[in-house]
Amino acid sequence: MVGSAIVRKLQDEGYTTIITRTSSELDLRNQAAVADFFDQETPDYVFLAAAKVGGILANNTYRAEFLYDNLMIESNIIHSAYKTGVKKLLFLGSSCIYPKLAPQPLKEEYLLSGYLESTNEPYAIAKITGIKLCDAYRSQYGCNFISAMPTNLYGPNDNYNLQGSHVLPALIRKFHEAKVNDEPTVEVWGTGSPMREFLHADDLADACFFLMENYNDELFVNIGTGEDVTIRETAELIKDIVGFEGELRWNTEKPDGTPRKLMDVSRLHEMGWKHKTELRKGLEMTYQDFLANEVLYIE
Ligand code: GDP
């Protein structure tokens, strides 16, 4: 989702030498394969969007994979970028790097000030390591490696597998299928009280491009909208957009995760960047994209 949004943005900006690899073409966990790729292609600018990602259930279930895969991907790419003289690298993390009970909104300086949320601790540790790798290569070797922390993302090419997905694609699919099959209820996880901030992938790509052009400092930058909603409001919104007329059934056996993770985006706003897509509009676009690509998204 993020990689394809960045490619669309670069193409819109007129770039033509965009080098990409799918995970089946290049296993980023393989050190030798990544080193060969950088030796052969010698990219100037690197957007490190690749990661093992997933929703609350996947993070909590595949704890070893979320830690190992992400550590390997980041270490291999950042080291090879240094070795081959990449001019600038942007590493993408996540808002889950912040302590579970950090004050809200989350300021960049709250990193490592408290305990992490347990459901996604392995993923968060890997992403914190990525930030620290960029900082270390900057300080020891003078590499211009920057990091940005996006909030929860959604958009085209999202993961619609209900065991692995985040809340928005999961609910789009669940409400849509319930509507089509005329089911009376849809199961929604947790209590509905956690709050989440959502950013459209095209806005994220726009912010990444902006930072690649304008930002060269060590401290990572939050990317978000600065606005959040409860999971209950989110579910009602998607229900309305999809046009499902039944009831919500809250399954409190499933975890809530972090109570709230609202980004403080004042640094990015001060630099002159702000998101463009409001949540309702973005979700309407995403539902249309889901309808157009349902066969592809649901295997
Ligand atoms: P998180 O932001 O890392 O917690 O990841 P998610 O996007 O997977 O979950 C966000 C919140 O939505 C959690 O409180 C979930 O329990 C809740 N949620 C409600 N229904 C669903 C669902 O069907 N799938 C997922 N993934 N989360 C859901």
Side-chain angles (χ1 to χ4, degrees):
M1 176 173 71
V2 174
S4 61
I6 292 174
V7 168
R8 284 196 298 277
K9 171 69 186 168
L10 292 172
Q11 285 167 339
D12 284 353
E13 293 288 335
Y15 288 87
T16 49
T17 45
I18 305 167
I19 308 161
T20 60
R21 291 290 184 279
T22 61
S23 54
S24 51
E25 290 164 347
L26 173 61
D27 184 347
L28 295 169
R29 297 166 300 187
N30 179 328
Q31 187 183 36
V34 173
D36 284 350
F37 168 76
F38 273 82
D39 282 341
Q40 278 158 25
E41 299 288 351
T42 61
D44 289 326
Y45 298 91
V46 175
F47 293 87
L48 206 182
K52 167 92 181 167
V53 298
I56 194 162
L57 183 66
N59 265 274
N60 205 12
T61 310
Y62 304 107
R63 298 176 75 86
E65 272 172 59
F66 273 80
L67 187 53
Y68 176 81
D69 288 2
N70 286 307
L71 287 174
M72 294 304 284
I73 292 169
E74 295 158 13
S75 305
N76 290 339
I77 292 181
I78 290 171
H79 188 69
S80 284
Y82 151 63
K83 281 284 190 191
T84 57
V86 163
K87 290 189 183 132
K88 187 165 180 179
L89 175 145
L90 169 65
F91 168 70
L92 285 174
S94 157
S95 60
C96 71
I97 57 153
Y98 288 109
K100 175 174 183 157
L101 300 176
Q104 308 281 324
L106 299 159
K107 289 184 187 297
E108 285 87 349
E109 57 263 32
Y110 297 163
L111 181 71
L112 293 175
S113 63
Y115 292 109
L116 297 164
E117 153 62 24
S118 74
T119 53
N120 55 26
E121 189 184 63
Y123 180 71
I125 292 279
K127 288 294 179 184
I128 292 169
T129 305
I131 299 172
K132 296 298 176 188
L133 277 168
C134 289
D135 293 353
Y137 280 76
R138 169 182 291 275
S139 112
Q140 186 174 345
Y141 302 123
C143 299
N144 191 5
F145 294 172
I146 61 169
S147 303
M149 299 304 120
T151 188
N152 300 46
L153 302 167
Y154 68 100
N157 301 317
D158 208 340
N159 172 9
Y160 285 90
N161 174 327
L162 296 179
Q163 300 308 309
S165 65
H166 280 102
V167 60
L168 295 186
L171 293 186
I172 288 175
R173 176 173 176 179
K174 285 186 191 177
F175 283 121
H176 174 72
E177 290 180 348
K179 181 178 87 169
V180 170
N181 300 325
D182 223 1
E183 285 159 14
T185 60
V186 162
E187 182 188 287
V188 192
W189 296 353
T191 60
S193 64
M195 301 192 76
R196 292 291 182 273
E197 175 186 4
F198 299 106
L199 180 73
H200 193 276
D202 286 338
D203 279 340
L204 173 76
D206 194 60
C208 290
F209 184 77
F210 176 86
L211 291 172
M212 200 53 126
E213 282 206 308
N214 297 299
Y215 189 76
N216 298 298
D217 289 328
E218 174 175 323
L219 183 59
F220 63 87
V221 183
N222 286 342
I223 306 180
T225 62
E227 297 152 17
D228 61 357
V229 282
T230 64
I231 293 299
R232 185 175 295 277
E233 288 164 335
T234 308
E236 294 290 348
L237 181 58
I238 297 178
K239 177 184 164 185
D240 187 48
I241 289 169
V242 171
F244 171 69
E245 289 178 350
E247 302 292 321
L248 306 187
R249 190 162 36 84
W250 293 91
N251 179 354
T252 50
E253 303 279 297
K254 293 277 200 262
D256 269 346
T258 307
R260 196 177 185 200
K261 42 181 170 176
L262 176 65
M263 294 285 210
D264 184 324
V265 284
S266 45
R267 285 177 65 234
L268 194 53
H269 284 179
E270 277 157 25
M271 289 178 218
W273 187 90
K274 195 174 181 300
H275 72 284
K276 296 189 189 83
T277 316
E278 293 311 328
L279 185 59
R280 184 174 183 106
K281 175 79 192 140
L283 285 175
E284 285 169 356
M285 282 160 31
T286 304
Y287 182 45
Q288 290 310 313
D289 173 73
F290 171 82
L291 291 175
N293 296 293
E294 197 179 341
V295 189
L296 215 78
Y297 290 155
I298 296 175
E299 286 161 28

